[in-house]
Amino acid sequence: MTQHSKSWTLTPGAMTLGVLRAVWAAPVKLILAAEAYPVIEASAAAVQAIVAKGDAAYGINTGFGLLAKTRIPDEKLEQLQRNLILSHSVGTGELLSDAVVRLIMLMKIGSLARGFSGVRPLIVDTLIALYNAGIMPAIPAKGSVGASGDLAPLSHMTLAMLGVGDVRVNGELMPAPEALAQAGIAPVVLAAKEGLALINGTQVSNALTLHGLFMAERLLEAAMVTGALSLDAAKGSDAPFDARVHAVRGQPGQILAAQMYRQLVANSAIRASHLEGDERVQDPYSLRCQPQVMGACLDLIGNVGRTLLIEANAVTDNPLIFQDGPNGQAEIVSGGNFHAEPVAFAADTLALAIAEIGALAERRIALLIDATLSGLPPFLVRDPGVNSGFMIAHVTAAALASENKSLAHPASVDSLPTSANQEDHVSMATFAGRRLDDMAHNTAVIVGIELLAAAQGIDFHRPLKTSPHLEHVHHQLRQKVPFFDADRFFAPDIEAAKQMVLRGELSSTCKNLFAPLYA
């Protein structure tokens, strides 16, 4: 059903952010490393041994949550697992995107394949088959509190394996039984422990936050480009990017950001034109303090990436099967790795970076349209008064920056007990990650408007040119959006600029410059 341009061998516990980015961006054929199968089989055998022995073990032959004391007879263990999936498939809201679902499936495969979850190889192979066939389970976005696992969304993922509900193939919804039949994939019958292993875990929270991370990386790159373009449009100084200024403070992200700004504005004729005789002593903070603000965002984004990568490789279901129990026997241990507090904190701090990237860009737009600060025509248009120019485009940017302030409120400080107080503290990581998409799109619009405004400012300085890097960005924009010579229907221009930001087009020809972001 799906054609893959690349394939990748999954070694459980060894995923990289580069691989996760690639899977997020486009389908990649998955192959599970052969050495994973013996440990998966040993874990499944341990579960069967526990069942055969008859000892009570949570989630294997007992009920769930507050019903953990209820013993389930062996002949009903398969029904127990199927009922678990059906009863927990209670999600609501819009469906998660294919990009997010691919990450969820990849991380769930990797977690189960580490051999601590007690599932058969059949379960892992079926998930891989669904993924490689491009069969994306229809997963509603809302319904998880980010503890006891992302139960509802992961149940919807598991429904597809059972041949129940809907899936999405090539962007189109279709019944799961039909999609599985077309791909030659047999629905599974879950054995003891398998349903619980599939729906316990932080993969949905982590996938949503990884999506936010990868969006934030593009926003950071784009906003550094537009910030440099605004600097030249306003005839600002590059002296604040002097390496010595940042070395004496010592913040690594700030030092790296300043280096990038120096490279972005290097060899600008506009800058050369006002090196002498400029009466201004210092630029406003939104120009002068870009390395300090964007460098702090860079450091924060890097820290979030490290946390999310650890979680992507983690085993986060419950209970877990360990082969090093007393007398060399397998032991089942109940814990709480499904609690997504690390992810919730990561998502909350990432929200700060996304909001601040947009907030700083909004301030530069305000500077550019203010003739007293920028030296450019009022509202960046000829014949102001007859033309409103960028006046209300800035209002849109301000509205979105303000909205991001509300969305940046930490989700992790909230908790509502569930399951009759058995699950009495939860992380809210799923919402914390989910709201990042709205924030990223808000910031992409703000940065897109800055791109339009800064390019307009550069045009007013012609025939002088900005730096080679920034001239290329200006040329790319002008292929899609002409100079704003008089008022016109503006929304399509803003959308075009936003898409350039989201697609990474502003940094596409200077990737080497931004490579240190991913070191």
Side-chain angles (χ1 to χ4, degrees):
M1 285 182 163
T2 298
Q3 296 296 318
H4 301 279
S5 58
K6 298 179 181 178
S7 62
W8 177 67
T9 299
L10 168 58
T11 300
M15 280 186 276
T16 65
L17 281 175
V19 167
L20 292 165
R21 278 191 205 97
V23 168
W24 173 72
V28 176
K29 183 179 180 181
L30 297 181
I31 302 167
L32 183 61
E35 58 266 28
Y37 283 98
V39 293
I40 299 172
E41 290 167 352
S43 184
V47 170
Q48 293 308 312
I50 290 169
V51 171
K53 189 176 179 182
D55 292 343
Y58 174 73
I60 294 178
N61 51 19
T62 73
F64 308 103
L66 202 63
L67 301 176
K69 296 178 182 179
T70 302
R71 182 65 179 271
I72 310 299
D74 289 356
E75 65 272 15
K76 292 188 176 181
L77 295 184
E78 289 182 354
Q79 181 185 346
L80 172 70
Q81 297 299 313
R82 182 179 178 86
N83 285 354
L84 174 71
I85 304 307
L86 298 176
S87 67
H88 284 49
S89 296
V90 294
T92 188
E94 294 183 3
L95 299 182
L96 296 178
S97 68
D98 284 357
V100 171
V101 174
R102 284 195 300 270
L103 288 173
I104 293 168
M105 296 175 76
L106 171 66
M107 291 187 291
K108 178 54 75 173
I109 291 164
S111 178
L112 296 178
R114 286 191 59 185
F116 297 98
S117 302
V119 304
R120 294 165 295 165
L122 171 67
I123 298 300
V124 177
D125 287 342
T126 300
L127 264 177
I128 293 172
L130 288 172
Y131 177 96
N132 286 339
I135 298 173
M136 299 289 105
I139 303 177
K142 299 181 181 182
S144 174
V145 295
S148 201
D150 287 310
L151 296 173
L154 287 173
S155 293
H156 283 274
M157 179 200 76
T158 306
L159 283 179
M161 302 174 64
L162 306 182
V164 177
D166 291 330
V167 296
R168 194 163 47 209
V169 179
N170 297 323
E172 299 294 328
L173 277 178
M174 63 188 302
E178 181 181 336
L180 267 62
Q182 289 181 7
I185 300 171
V188 299
V189 175
L190 298 172
K193 175 70 168 63
E194 290 178 339
L196 187 59
L198 283 160
I199 70 172
N200 253 191
T202 62
Q203 287 78 29
V204 175
S205 301
N206 210 46
L208 288 165
T209 309
L210 281 166
H211 171 72
L213 172 71
F214 301 148
M215 296 275 278
E217 291 171 345
R218 291 186 178 181
L219 294 171
L220 184 76
E221 290 183 3
M224 292 181 79
V225 171
T226 59
L229 200 62
S230 290
L231 181 83
D232 244 8
K235 286 193 170 180
S237 173
D238 58 354
F241 304 154
D242 188 310
R244 295 169 296 179
V245 171
H246 308 284
V248 296
R249 190 179 200 185
Q251 293 289 350
Q254 178 180 325
I255 291 168
L256 182 55
Q259 173 189 318
M260 292 176 179
Y261 280 111
R262 289 195 300 273
Q263 293 174 286
L264 282 168
V265 300
N267 302 313
S268 165
I270 295 174
R271 174 59 181 139
S273 73
H274 63 100
L275 280 170
E276 297 181 4
D278 194 329
E279 295 180 355
R280 295 172 297 179
V281 178
Q282 291 185 332
D283 293 323
Y285 290 179
S286 60
L287 297 178
R288 189 185 355 149
C289 298
Q290 290 186 77
Q292 287 79 4
V293 177
M294 298 299 278
C297 291
L298 192 160
D299 282 335
L300 192 154
I301 289 169
N303 289 335
V304 167
R306 284 184 281 276
T307 296
L308 298 183
L309 180 59
I310 291 170
E311 196 74 3
N313 285 300
V315 180
T316 56
D317 61 292
N318 177 65
L320 298 176
I321 312 296
F322 295 97
Q323 303 292 343
D324 57 354
N327 302 316
Q329 299 296 310
E331 185 176 9
I332 186 163
V333 180
S334 287
N337 282 357
F338 48 66
H339 198 296
E341 196 81 342
V343 181
F345 283 168
D348 281 346
T349 52
L350 186 57
L352 300 179
I354 293 173
E356 282 297 272
I357 291 168
L360 196 65
E362 181 276 325
R363 288 291 80 205
R364 291 191 296 265
I365 299 166
L367 182 154
L368 291 173
I369 66 174
D370 186 341
T372 62
L373 291 173
S374 68
L376 295 164
F379 301 108
L380 298 171
V381 69
R382 296 189 181 102
D383 200 8
V386 174
N387 294 302
S388 294
F390 280 70
M391 180 189 297
I392 306 305
H394 169 249
V395 172
T396 295
L400 297 177
S402 181
E403 183 177 312
N404 273 355
K405 292 177 185 179
S406 295
L407 288 171
H409 184 279
S412 57
V413 298
D414 187 28
S415 177
L416 281 175
T418 60
S419 193
N421 283 311
Q422 171 75 5
E423 297 153 7
D424 56 355
H425 182 276
V426 299
S427 72
M428 298 298 177
T430 322
F431 167 67
R434 177 165 54 81
R435 67 45 153 104
L436 298 175
D437 183 71
D438 282 345
M439 295 186 68
H441 278 270
N442 287 345
T443 294
V445 173
I446 299 168
V447 175
I449 292 172
E450 183 188 12
L451 172 62
L452 294 168
Q456 187 82 353
I458 296 297
D459 283 329
F460 282 120
H461 295 312
R462 296 304 191 204
L464 293 176
K465 290 188 175 183
T466 183
S467 72
H469 275 315
L470 299 179
E471 279 293 332
H472 182 81
V473 171
H474 182 279
H475 176 74
Q476 282 181 296
L477 175 67
R478 287 289 174 253
Q479 298 302 301
K480 299 177 175 69
V481 179
F483 176 75
F484 196 95
D485 56 350
D487 284 352
R488 62 174 185 250
F489 181 26
F490 208 171
D493 296 349
I494 294 173
E495 181 62 24
K498 172 192 175 183
Q499 292 304 320
M500 290 182 68
V501 171
L502 291 177
R503 290 194 292 262
E505 293 180 16
L506 276 64
S507 55
S508 60
T509 59
C510 51
K511 281 298 182 187
N512 289 342
L513 190 157
F514 290 103
L517 293 176
Y518 309 107

